[in-house]
Structure formats: C-alpha cells, structure tokens
Amino acid sequence: MLPEPLEPHAEVYAALVLGTRDYLAKNGFSDAVMGLSGGIDSALVAAIATDALGPEHVHALAMPSRYSSEGSRSDATLVAERSASTWRWWPWSPPRRGLGMLSPLLAGAPRA
C-alpha cells in the first residue's frame, strides 16, 4: 500500500529538504554556513538546512547594519538559537567601509 500523499506545501518543503541534503552530500559538504537577517526568507532557509543536515551542522552568521531594526535582530537571534549549532553577530559596517579602498581602483571603470 502506498503512503498518503503529502499536502502541496508539505510536498514542496520535503522536496527542498531532500534537494538540499542531496546537493550538499554529493558535493562533499557536511556543514552549511548561512546568513541570517531575521526575515522570513532566512528563517525558511534555516529550517530547511536544519531539517536537511541537523542543527549540529548548521552555522549562522548575522550581519546587522545600521538599518537593521531591533525586531530583525531579535528575530535573527531566535531563529539562530532554534536552528544553528553555532551563530555569531558580525556587523556589516567594518567590511563595508573596507570596500571603500577599492574606489581608486575602480575610478573610470565601465559600469554595467
């Protein structure tokens, strides 16, 4: 006897988990590092990664900026605590400022 078919949303979610697990395994990855914003998109990615690999193999990196709301920061913290084995805050401002050193190299370069 065949199992009952999944509901449409559950079927899509199961396919995302399976595809993620297969892709990572076939390419030799045991762990995943993900960016975490506190938005619904990164929460869904965290859930898929956790279900595909287990929380011990998911590592989250939150990169808040001066535009990140307190709600986004607290949501990111909550998602990270529930889905990732390790997570940390890495503010985006210092790397962004560092990109400014490329300005002289790009002066006069064609823009796409």
Side-chain angles (χ1 to χ4, degrees):
M1 176 176 253
L2 294 174
E4 286 291 317
L6 296 172
E7 295 296 322
H9 291 99
E11 184 176 8
V12 170
Y13 184 81
L16 290 167
V17 170
L18 178 64
T20 300
R21 184 182 301 125
D22 284 352
Y23 177 83
L24 293 171
K26 288 176 182 176
N27 287 285
F29 297 111
S30 61
D31 289 46
V33 178
M34 58 166 290
L36 195 57
S37 68
I40 189 70
D41 53 343
S42 64
L44 179 58
V45 169
I48 292 168
T50 299
D51 286 346
L53 300 172
E56 66 277 9
H57 296 283
V58 177
H59 312 280
L61 180 62
M63 296 178 67
S65 74
R66 62 183 173 179
Y67 304 108
S68 301
S69 70
E70 185 54 43
S72 288
R73 291 171 188 245
S74 63
D75 289 348
T77 299
L78 184 61
V79 170
E81 288 173 345
R82 292 183 177 187
S83 61
S85 64
T86 61
W87 68 279
R88 66 184 326 170
W89 289 101
W90 192 47
W92 175 237
S93 296
R96 186 170 175 262
R97 279 194 304 269
L99 291 174
M101 69 184 190
L102 297 176
S103 293
L105 299 173
L106 299 175
R111 302 213 183 251

